[in-house]
Amino acid sequence: MSETELATARRVFDDEHEAFRDSFAVFVKREVVPAPSAAAMFAAAGRNGFLGIQVPEELGGAAVPDPRFGLVGAEELARNGLLGLGLSFATHVGVAIPALLDDSTDEQQARWLPDLVSGERIAAVGGNTVRFSAQPGGGRLDGVVLGVVNAASAGLLLIPVAGPDGDPRVAVLDPRAPGVRICNEIEPMGLSDAGLFDIHLDGVEVDEQDLVHGNLMRIQRDQRLWSAVLAVAGARTALDWALDYVRGRKVFGRTVASFENTRYALAALLAEIVRTESLVDSCVRDHCAGRLAPYRAAALALSAGELLCRAADQALQLHGGYGYMREYPISQAFADARYFRLASCSSESVTAILAAELGL
């Protein structure tokens, strides 16, 4: 736990969660930081039992229905500067697995969950619907799913579909199925570890047994909550990197930390982090109680995404010219923050939800 976190203790986690945090932090430093890779991270996390905490024991999990353990894991990845892998982990543990636990049958869970718990397969979840044309025994999928986390390494795709009957469903697909094309020609500068690519579906045949009664609004709500958790953790990381730098860097015989502008700028950033983190914790409590409203998750995502960008901006500026050098992690954090806001906290989509809440 960093000194900024010690100064602003949180009450949403109890001793068990903090003990889990300690274990996960050791795992990240030993297994992930030396050679960051989504496939290697999931395989190691599966071996250590970190992926299936909410999953029933008979399917390989720990049968603990508490999403806060997963949230702690996502935070620790972000706190180590691994924002892309944090988003990948959050999608798998916090969005895909709960969706299957809530909406799929026992037979479907037995087919899909063991491989997700072991890390043998990585789940990707679409954030928009595609067209579903009903056919005897199933249907056909056509459309494009934009900016899908884990698309690059996915072993299982969860795609929300819109059918003519208005019944919300999610199609669970093998990415190798005929008609599925993952557009990975261009690797982004930011969040490259998140495997963010578009998925094109051209006449993909899906059986009835591969459809679950999902809800796009709930999937988007969960995506936004977990994204906000990562954004605030990433903002704290940027603040800590800035503190380390300004305390060691001297200008005109004085440390950068001793200048009034530096002190005021970082103090204001801490205040904003604490304020947004309080909203995060409130939404986490609502999520655990099953009452998190989509508009609250949208408001949180918007605030947290903007905070992450401001934190990365401020930290980079305080690094001076060194902030633009790849040797300093803040340069990658700066790029990640921009992609993160576009991919996970899009102001256009969340603003539409908030406007609808106002009746506009």
Side-chain angles (χ1 to χ4, degrees):
M1 185 176 291
S2 71
E3 61 185 289
T4 58
E5 288 172 310
L6 287 170
T8 55
R10 300 162 69 186
R11 297 180 180 178
V12 71
F13 301 118
D14 60 26
D15 292 343
E16 290 186 356
H17 300 113
E18 295 305 334
F20 180 83
R21 184 187 300 278
D22 293 340
S23 297
F24 200 89
V26 171
F27 161 76
V28 171
K29 292 187 182 300
R30 287 181 179 176
E31 301 280 355
V32 185
V33 170
S37 157
M41 178 189 72
F42 278 104
R47 290 194 301 270
N48 284 274
F50 291 139
L51 300 179
I53 292 177
Q54 299 184 72
V55 176
E57 293 181 359
E58 61 269 23
L59 299 178
V64 179
D66 186 346
R68 289 175 292 178
F69 290 100
L71 289 165
V72 164
E75 284 187 343
E76 284 305 305
L77 287 164
R79 297 297 285 114
N80 281 273
L82 302 170
L83 198 61
L85 288 180
L87 192 58
S88 182
F89 178 85
T91 296
H92 184 94
V93 171
V95 182
I97 288 179
L100 294 176
L101 285 172
D102 290 343
D103 298 322
S104 61
T105 66
D106 291 344
E107 185 275 332
Q108 289 171 325
Q109 291 181 15
R111 287 171 52 207
W112 297 320
L113 288 176
D115 286 349
L116 298 184
V117 171
S118 69
E120 184 175 337
R121 301 172 85 178
I122 301 172
V125 183
N128 63 274
T129 60
V130 298
R131 187 171 66 258
F132 175 75
S133 303
Q135 297 176 350
R140 168 191 168 116
L141 304 181
D142 293 277
V144 180
V145 193
L146 302 173
V148 181
V149 175
N150 288 338
S153 53
L156 200 68
L157 304 177
L158 277 68
I159 309 296
V161 301
D165 58 0
D167 184 23
R169 289 188 169 189
V170 172
V172 183
L173 308 174
D174 186 323
R176 298 166 299 180
V180 177
R181 181 167 62 91
I182 297 174
C183 299
N184 56 0
E185 294 86 0
I186 301 175
E187 183 171 325
M189 291 180 61
L191 296 181
S192 58
D193 291 335
L196 272 166
F197 294 110
D198 296 344
I199 298 177
H200 290 245
L201 305 174
D202 184 12
V204 178
E205 302 287 340
V206 57
D207 294 333
E208 185 68 30
Q209 63 184 359
D210 294 326
L211 294 169
V212 301
H213 290 279
N215 185 309
L216 176 62
M217 183 170 291
R218 189 178 65 191
I219 286 174
Q220 291 177 333
R221 180 203 64 189
D222 292 350
Q223 287 174 328
R224 286 164 182 148
L225 172 64
W226 284 77
S227 295
V229 169
L230 287 164
V232 175
R236 276 198 180 275
T237 302
L239 173 58
D240 287 340
W241 286 341
L243 285 170
D244 288 343
Y245 182 82
V246 298
R247 285 169 174 162
R249 175 68 172 167
K250 286 189 175 182
V251 178
F252 305 119
R254 297 171 55 187
T255 63
V256 176
S258 68
F259 289 99
E260 184 176 71
N261 177 69
T262 302
R263 296 170 61 236
Y264 284 2
L266 293 181
L269 180 56
L270 177 59
E272 191 172 358
I273 289 173
V274 172
R275 182 174 67 244
T276 309
E277 199 168 60
S278 295
L279 180 56
V280 166
D281 292 351
S282 173
C283 287
V284 167
R285 283 190 287 268
D286 283 353
H287 181 58
C288 292
R291 59 171 185 264
L292 178 60
Y295 84 89
R296 292 199 75 211
L300 175 62
L302 183 61
S303 299
E306 295 293 340
L307 168 62
L308 175 61
C309 285
R310 284 194 291 272
D313 287 353
Q314 185 65 76
L316 184 141
Q317 291 299 321
L318 288 171
H319 276 71
Y322 289 112
Y324 296 92
M325 299 175 64
R326 287 295 187 181
E327 290 82 354
Y328 288 82
I330 191 60
S331 66
Q332 185 60 54
F334 181 83
D336 286 346
R338 263 65 192 163
Y339 276 86
F340 192 90
R341 183 171 60 181
L342 292 172
S344 304
C345 308
S346 170
S347 59
E348 182 177 352
S349 61
V350 298
T351 299
I353 292 176
L354 296 172
E357 181 66 19
L358 295 172
L360 301 176

